[in-house]
Amino acid sequence: MNPDPSLSLQSFSGLENFGHSLRSSAWLHQPEQAGELPALFKLARQQGLSIALRGSGRSYGDAALNSGQIVLDLRRLKRVLAWDPARGRITVEPGVTIEDLWNYVLADGWWPPVVPGTMFPTIGGCLSANIHGKNNWVAGPIGEHVLEFSALLPNGRRVTCTPRKNGGLFRAMIGGLGMLGVFTSITLQLKPIESGRLEVNAWAEPNLEAMLAAIDAHKDCDYVVGWVDCTAGGRALGRGQIHTARYLHAAQDPQAEASLRVDAQVLPARMFGLVPRGWLPKLMAPFMNNLSVWAVNTAKYLASRTISHHKTYRQSLIEFNFLLDYIPGWERSYGRDGLIQYQSFIPKVRAAEAFAEILRLCQKAGLPSYLGVLKRHRPDPFLLTHALDGYSLALDFKVTPANRARLSALAAELDEVVLAAGGRLYFVKDSTLRAGSAKRFLGRRAVAEFKKLKTKTDPHNLLQSDLYRRWFD
Amino acid sequence: MPQTKTTPSRFPAEPPLLRRPRAVIVGASSGIGAALAARLAAEGYRVAVLARNKARLSALCEDINRAHGEARAAAYTHDVTDLKAIPALFQRLVKDLGGMDLFVYCAGVTVPVKIDEFDTHKDQQMLQTNLAGALAWLGCAAALFQGAGRGQLVGISSVAGDRGRVLNPAYNASKAGLDAYLEGLRNRLTRRGVHVLTVKPGFVDTDQLKGSPRTFGVISPEKAADGIWKALRARQQLVYVPWFWRYIMLVIRLVPSFIFRRLSF
């Protein structure tokens, strides 16, 4: 433990977002234990600097960047503090990752109730962003599975919050971007499972309306997600493929017991049985342009209509959930300037019209998304929530030095479509909005309440990030 | 500890996708520094300019910001001989700018001496500004860029650093020292992804040139800034501005000492 931290010039480090499209540098500290945090807060105050909290750096935007100031990388706080395999309750430090978590609990027949598309984020980061998975309709965001957490606030207080005790702070710190305090321990209720495999159904839908209807019809499945071919236009606009999945009972899966072993949960070493996964980002890079993506998406859609139409198969939990981890370093395939994601949430009745407009605007701008993902959502009780009864469309865009300005202009157009449809943006993923956007997308009341809480927990405004300054100042 | 209060940044928060690169220019109230500040702002940088002369700095920033209709330049009053103030000011610049991509050390003085004059005070003035201040600032920036794994460092040296001459040995020594320091930084930092550029201006129409005897081929500070910008973009290691000084100095460096001792420039 380092009792007296200082800002050494050498501790200045280059940091990036998940998509490698935003570069930033900051004084980086990696505390070994939570006991070091008070001294770091003191240091920041003395130096007149702010602190941003960072986990695995898997945020698509600038939520874990604090340019020119202090960033605390909390990945070394990664102890499992308690595990009750009978009730499926685990207490962890914030730096434990989703990967650590499922590795720890799987053999006892438990699984994280909500996971993102990659297993590398930390639990602290997942709570701060209140992440959702492909099961948002049935399971809600991860925050709904938090039984209790303890946090150190910048005002020096240590608090324990549950949905009932300190409920206001509970609902604000989850999804609060690490702006109110630092989680020091988190207790999650996990999901009991009898098999480590899922039964997956896949089929194609010819257009956006059919996609939305199919997702809505299957929203009570354990998981449902839609892949959208964003390059298709006209009557095929929004066409794509639906995947649903459900957990298996032991009786339904002869391999149930074996599949609960960690070593049974592997991602295929080769894609299409041929290419080692590690090679893929480099092999894919030359094909990340509008024409090739159009060709690949068209081929993928046609395959989903024919070869894999209404196919049922079984997949391990990690194969189904962690699609992004299939290709290690997939973000690198987008080239030097990386990618950004734009994820909008639109109320159910307005979704078809708004998403169609969004897809058309992207195509008109010559900036089709290379990956589009549709999900079904429902409201949740968290203060800075973006969730609503409707759908989200997550769009990945390649960034190049030449298209930054066009991409920003496009995003600004999309913002207006989203607002006009009564929608919201997942601000943790945003990279394009200008100062003061929080009120427009999160509502005046929520923002005012959040700021009021922040004044209490963080009177000197020590916790900040590039995203926070941009959205809330 | 320099400050306990968080001062708000002088630049507004920007969408990260459109983040402008950040530059710091030490010695920017006039001459090459001022011209480079204007040029970098025009190339899209956010620039922090430092010098002793507050009024000139403020005027420079106002001109730049008015030309672009937004805050692209901010002024910081600083005397480079105040070495103790540098680390804290450096940290504040990093905070206000939100990082640093380019650092330029442009502060330099020539104190004329007679051909037979030896004046410790004058020599020290040149050494403090041209070398001691340069090392203090460039050292901070080098450490920062080393940690970040990227960045560009620029030292404005002089053709005068290529040989010791009868006119102003201390000035030659200060610039030769700066050359060696920059070369050392380059050898350390290239492997860390950092670019180090040594600039050797010939005669540039600045305050420093006033009173210099026998000048020729004088260029404007804007022309010099243009040469520096092009060298930065091409990631050159060493640039003479204007270009022909490379050849003049090649010849001068080749002049053997038994002749050089007899020359009077």
Side-chain angles (χ1 to χ4, degrees), chain A residues 20-253:
Chain A
H20 310 295
S21 49
L22 315 178
R23 302 209 168 96
S24 154
S25 312
W27 314 102
L28 188 68
H29 274 273
Q30 297 179 296
E32 302 285 341
Q33 43 180 284
E36 293 172 40
L37 295 170
L40 287 161
F41 280 134
K42 197 174 144 202
L43 172 78
R45 243 192 106 183
Q46 281 171 344
Q47 304 279 334
L49 296 173
S50 66
I51 293 180
L53 307 175
R54 185 176 170 96
S56 301
R58 252 59 186 186
S59 173
Y60 280 99
D62 49 357
L65 303 177
N66 194 17
S67 299
Q69 305 200 48
I70 301 173
V71 171
L72 296 188
D73 176 344
L74 298 176
R75 277 179 296 180
R76 290 184 184 166
L77 311 182
K78 59 175 303 172
R79 286 178 302 164
V80 174
L81 302 172
W83 169 227
D84 176 354
R87 292 197 297 171
R89 293 180 172 190
I90 193 163
T91 303
V92 296
E93 288 191 314
V96 167
T97 63
I98 297 278
E99 180 184 25
D100 301 333
L101 182 64
W102 73 256
N103 271 274
Y104 199 89
V105 302
L106 183 72
D108 293 324
W110 299 90
W111 181 253
V114 173
V115 295
T118 160
M119 63 173 95
F120 301 118
T122 62
I123 304 295
C126 287
L127 255 63
S128 299
N130 201 13
I131 56 114
H132 60 260
K134 302 172 184 68
N135 54 358
N136 192 250
W137 178 265
V138 290
I142 195 165
E144 292 189 14
H145 305 272
V146 177
L147 297 170
E148 181 181 297
F149 65 73
S150 301
L152 173 71
L153 307 180
N155 65 14
R157 280 186 57 216
R158 286 166 199 282
V159 288
T160 300
C161 301
T162 73
R164 288 204 179 79
K165 182 178 152 201
N166 295 323
L169 193 56
F170 181 89
R171 284 179 289 278
M173 272 193 75
I174 293 175
L177 290 161
M179 291 298 110
L180 299 175
V182 189
F183 296 118
T184 48
S185 86
I186 296 157
T187 304
L188 289 169
Q189 174 63 57
L190 304 182
K191 164 138 188 110
I193 50 168
E194 294 177 18
S195 162
R197 299 201 300 169
L198 296 164
E199 186 164 278
V200 183
N201 274 288
W203 69 93
E205 294 290 353
N207 56 46
L208 184 63
E209 262 149 45
M211 288 286 291
L212 294 173
I215 289 175
D216 192 48
H218 292 84
K219 62 180 184 287
D220 294 316
C221 284
D222 291 326
Y223 296 96
V224 55
V225 62
W227 163 78
V228 179
D229 172 5
C230 300
T231 63
R235 276 173 24 207
L237 189 81
R239 72 183 180 186
Q241 188 180 24
I242 307 281
H243 282 95
T244 62
R246 60 182 185 90
Y247 295 106
L248 292 170
H249 292 294
Q252 295 167 315
D253 186 4

Side-chain angles (χ1 to χ4, degrees), chain A residues 340-358:
Chain A
I340 59 161
Q341 190 175 89
Y342 186 93
Q343 185 175 20
S344 53
F345 289 68
I346 308 280
K348 189 172 175 239
V349 287
R350 308 287 300 275
E353 167 204 353
F355 289 149
E357 182 64 10
I358 285 174

Side-chain angles (χ1 to χ4, degrees), chain A residues 7 9-10 12-14 22-25 27 45-49 62 67-69 340 404 408 431-434 470, chain B residues 1-6 13-19 90-91 94-95 98-99 139-140 143-144 146-148 150:
Chain A
L7 289 184
L9 278 169
Q10 273 81 358
F12 204 75
S13 298
L22 315 178
R23 302 209 168 96
S24 154
S25 312
W27 314 102
R45 243 192 106 183
Q46 281 171 344
Q47 304 279 334
L49 296 173
D62 49 357
S67 299
Q69 305 200 48
I340 59 161
R404 281 178 182 254
S408 291
S431 326
T432 57
L433 280 160
R434 287 175 193 280
R470 185 162 59 88
Chain B
M1 294 300 151
Q3 54 189 103
T4 50
K5 225 178 70 200
T6 20
E14 63 196 332
L17 197 64
L18 298 178
R19 182 183 192 277
F90 184 77
Q91 187 177 305
V94 171
K95 179 194 167 186
C140 284
L144 188 91
Q146 171 178 277
R150 56 177 172 260

